[in-house]
Amino acid sequence: MPDARIPADADERAALYRSAVAGRRMLVVLDNARSAAQVRPLLPGTSSCAVLVSSRSRLDDLAATEGAVRVTVPALSRDEAVTVLGLVLGADRVAAEPAAAAELAELCDRLPLALRIAAARGSSHQHGTLRAMVEAFSDERHRLHRLSLPDSGSTVRTALAWSYRRLDAASARLFRRLGEHPGTDVDRGAAAALAGTTVAEVQPRLESLISVHLLHKSGPERYARHDLVRLYTAAVAEEEPAADRHAATERLLDYYLHTADAGRRLVTDEAWQPAMRVARPPAESPELSTVKEALDWFRAEETNLHRALALAGARGDHGRAWRLALCLERFQHHLGDLPAQAEAARLGLAAARELGDNQAQAVFHVRVGENLVRSGRAGDAVAHGEQAVRLGRDEPQDACNAMLGLGRFLHAAGRPAEALARLTGSIEVAGAVGNVAVETYALLGKAWVHQSEGERTDAMDALRRSVELVRDNGSRVHGAAVLLIAGELVREFGEHDKALRMFSRGLSAARDAEDLVFQARHHRAIGNTLAHLGSRAAAVPHWTRAERLRAALGLPDGGDVTLNGSHGHRAPHPHGFPELACT
């Protein structure tokens, strides 16, 4: 229409617009809309027209008041993202380096704007390789800067800033606090810890971040962000005062440590590990009451726990670092992930040394020794056990645990007399201080040493005493673990019926504790024993149940102790007796 006919008043303009499109069949495309208020005057008043609105916001008002159908545009697939790169770089160039093209697409989070900017920068260097581009974009410190075209003003940072500026003050502050989180995935509790508030108070702020696509739901009560968003969040986090950032990071680390320790206590004997008190207890944390809940939480947070451990180490926070390492090591031990367990023990020992904490060093020397025994280096394990005894000698709880570990390592190294002396010392100290868990496992260790030396009477006496401790102390000892080891020992004596009774009692204990890991191990042991007795048909349901549990838990193959289910024969044990730290 001629300018002279266009009114100055916005409402009059909207009326004129609607009259102009009335009766026409039109598709109206409104790109990059800021709000429902911006869109509403441009909605035709006739059903013959359709409107397609694109926005970085969800525009909930339009869905609620105008009947709009909301369609969330998913991220491009990897193949689609590579195709976008090829549109600018050239299909031949992309086809020549398919692996590098796929990596570049992932570094751009498969986002169209980032892909086109990266490709445009690459197209100006026709003789450069895609591999060189990947190496350049892999540097997180400069990735956002490289994803910009200065001449056009088109940048990923600008697009993200547009969404960030749409936030209210409280949501913007949460977004900046998320910059202290080292991962891409966060649950409501961690977000609340960063914000220094409750889950109820942080929930609407999380929803605000979702509404402008700075976060997206990744599961029940979990939120994720693209890597590029994470890098932008870290950049704007620097707007916060240094003291506030430091406090937020400490709250986050303590949230993970507090919850991980609660889970650790469910999968291990409480008296065996040092207590962990956090400086900044979270206002709220997941309530873990069963082994399954603890393992589910650990599985969901495993990557974040590793990153939290690395963050604590980088900050020189060695106290939190060794405690996080111990929680990781115990969970991974329970699940049978031996390489990951060894790495956690190594990191924990390094942090404990930096801190000069003798108790923590003693604990980790035993953990490192356990892994050395598994790898056939019992002599090196003995040296770690001796270090643990030296460091823990002034604290009875540490001393009995260290002597237990050293006794096991000495037996694995072929030094049974010395092993018995250390195990006896462990039993005496543990009994004096009431550490029932260590006393029980040390008695089992003695039983295995006596058995290997042909001293059946002494072995049965030690075994009987250990089982009595389990019976008399209930939850203070992980009965499922003890009865599994005891059943193994009884099998060594050829008493298969008695072993079956112990495995059955252990299975009941594992069920009472809702410990699916030890349910799987007892089912496996029962099946193997039945097969050894010639009842293969009766063994099959137990093997099947064990494998289903193992698969559901994601346990590595061979995670069960000592028995080979496929043949029903006991596998030679590399340590002389089964793992004492079974929990």
Side-chain angles (χ1 to χ4, degrees):
M1 290 188 172
D3 288 349
R5 289 188 57 193
I6 300 176
D9 181 76
D11 290 339
E12 293 179 5
R13 287 188 180 194
L16 181 59
Y17 164 72
R18 290 193 181 97
S19 67
V21 299
R24 296 172 182 255
R25 291 174 54 82
M26 299 184 66
L27 172 64
V28 180
V29 179
L30 306 177
D31 185 41
N32 201 22
R34 182 171 62 248
S35 65
Q38 189 185 34
V39 169
R40 195 168 282 113
L42 297 172
L43 298 178
T46 176
S47 61
S48 63
C49 296
V51 183
L52 179 66
V53 184
S54 72
S55 177
R56 291 185 178 88
S57 299
R58 291 190 308 192
L59 302 183
D60 292 333
D61 283 359
L62 287 182
T65 63
E66 306 295 341
V69 177
R70 189 166 51 222
V71 178
T72 300
V73 181
L76 296 175
S77 69
R78 178 174 292 185
D79 288 345
E80 290 167 340
V82 170
T83 298
V84 172
L85 290 174
L87 293 175
V88 181
L89 286 168
D92 292 343
R93 193 172 173 190
V94 167
E97 296 182 77
E103 289 178 49
L104 183 59
E106 293 298 332
L107 289 171
C108 294
D109 284 335
R110 292 179 268 135
L111 298 176
L113 176 61
L115 291 164
R116 293 183 69 87
I117 291 173
R121 291 180 69 97
S123 65
S124 63
H125 299 86
Q126 287 294 328
H127 300 295
T129 65
L130 296 190
R131 177 56 57 190
M133 291 178 63
V134 168
E135 292 174 359
F137 279 91
S138 294
D139 187 345
E140 290 191 348
R141 296 169 301 175
H142 305 296
R143 191 182 305 164
L144 282 177
H145 174 71
R146 290 192 170 98
L147 287 173
S148 64
L149 297 174
D151 292 342
S152 68
S154 180
T155 73
V156 170
R157 187 188 297 271
T158 300
L160 294 173
W162 187 95
S163 297
Y164 173 56
R165 289 194 297 270
R166 296 284 301 155
L167 297 170
D168 61 87
S171 299
R173 188 179 306 111
L174 173 62
F175 184 69
R176 293 192 295 272
R177 293 284 174 84
L178 287 171
E180 307 303 326
H181 195 287
T184 57
D185 178 78
V186 64
D187 73 337
R188 296 190 307 172
L194 281 166
T197 186
T198 64
V199 167
E201 290 174 333
V202 85
Q203 184 66 48
R205 303 173 195 175
L206 290 167
E207 292 298 326
S208 292
L209 297 180
I210 290 175
S211 72
V212 293
H213 298 287
L214 292 174
L215 285 181
H216 59 272
K217 291 293 290 288
S218 58
E221 301 180 0
R222 299 195 70 82
Y223 305 84
R225 53 190 170 167
H226 292 296
D227 254 343
L228 295 177
V229 176
R230 176 179 61 82
L231 295 177
Y232 179 70
T233 314
V236 297
E238 296 179 2
E239 299 173 11
E240 291 280 286
D244 290 352
R245 296 181 64 191
H246 177 79
T249 301
E250 287 198 336
R251 289 195 301 270
L252 177 70
L253 292 175
D254 280 349
Y255 168 77
Y256 284 126
L257 180 54
H258 176 84
T259 314
D261 185 49
R264 174 187 68 87
R265 291 174 180 276
L266 289 168
V267 301
T268 191
D269 293 312
E270 184 173 344
W272 201 335
Q273 311 284 358
M276 299 186 193
R277 296 177 180 85
V278 297
R280 299 175 182 267
E284 295 180 60
S285 61
E287 294 183 4
L288 307 179
S289 58
T290 68
V291 173
K292 182 180 184 303
E293 288 174 350
L295 293 177
D296 287 345
W297 181 84
F298 171 75
R299 289 293 202 194
E301 298 290 358
E302 184 175 6
T303 298
N304 283 333
L305 289 171
H306 281 287
R307 288 177 173 171
L309 170 57
L311 176 61
R315 288 164 50 88
D317 192 346
H318 303 300
R320 287 185 174 91
W322 79 254
R323 288 171 172 83
L324 283 166
L326 182 59
C327 292
L328 277 165
E329 191 269 349
R330 289 293 83 194
F331 275 111
Q332 287 155 342
H333 179 86
H334 194 81
L335 292 170
D337 190 343
L338 303 185
Q341 182 192 356
E343 177 63 10
R346 183 190 68 79
L347 292 172
L349 180 56
R353 281 173 170 161
E354 288 288 341
L355 195 64
D357 187 316
N358 286 351
Q359 181 189 46
Q361 289 183 72
V363 169
F364 280 109
H365 273 297
V366 173
R367 301 290 175 248
V368 172
E370 289 173 355
N371 284 282
L372 288 170
V373 167
R374 292 191 197 97
S375 61
R377 298 168 58 190
D380 294 335
V382 169
H384 280 278
E386 290 171 342
Q387 281 281 76
V389 169
R390 180 182 65 80
L391 291 162
R393 62 191 173 198
D394 295 330
E395 171 52 56
Q397 295 284 4
D398 299 332
C400 63
N401 189 43
M403 285 190 285
L404 168 60
L406 179 55
R408 174 175 168 241
F409 306 156
L410 287 165
H411 180 55
R415 297 156 64 177
E418 295 172 81
L420 284 172
R422 290 298 186 177
L423 291 167
T424 299
S426 177
I427 292 166
E428 292 171 352
V429 176
V433 298
N435 193 329
V436 179
V438 170
E439 185 179 4
T440 302
Y441 289 115
L443 281 166
L444 282 172
K446 280 192 71 174
W448 276 93
V449 177
H450 283 306
Q451 186 276 335
S452 67
E453 295 301 298
E455 300 162 352
R456 177 167 179 166
T457 300
D458 291 334
M460 289 302 293
D461 179 62
L463 176 61
R464 189 177 303 108
R465 289 167 60 197
S466 70
V467 174
E468 287 171 355
L469 282 174
V470 174
R471 181 194 64 203
D472 296 339
N473 290 276
S475 62
R476 295 182 68 193
V477 183
H478 198 316
V482 172
L483 289 166
L484 186 65
I485 300 170
E488 286 288 307
L489 180 58
V490 170
R491 263 182 56 94
E492 286 289 307
F493 296 148
E495 299 185 22
H496 298 90
D497 290 338
K498 190 172 183 178
L500 276 175
R501 289 196 295 274
M502 287 187 168
F503 293 142
S504 295
R505 285 175 56 196
L507 179 58
S508 295
R511 284 172 174 161
D512 290 343
E514 298 186 50
D515 188 333
L516 300 184
V517 173
F518 271 97
Q519 287 182 44
R521 291 174 175 172
H522 278 285
H523 273 298
R524 185 90 174 260
I526 291 169
N528 294 339
T529 308
L530 288 169
H532 188 77
L533 291 171
S535 302
R536 188 175 182 86
V540 168
H542 289 282
W543 287 337
T544 301
R545 181 60 178 158
E547 287 305 300
R548 285 176 178 170
L549 286 168
R550 185 191 64 77
L553 290 164
L555 290 173
D557 192 27
D560 299 338
V561 295
T562 66
L563 287 179
N564 181 327
S566 59
H567 302 295
H569 298 300
R570 184 182 187 281
H573 203 282
H575 323 323
F577 53 81
E579 183 75 39
L580 291 182
C582 266
T583 58

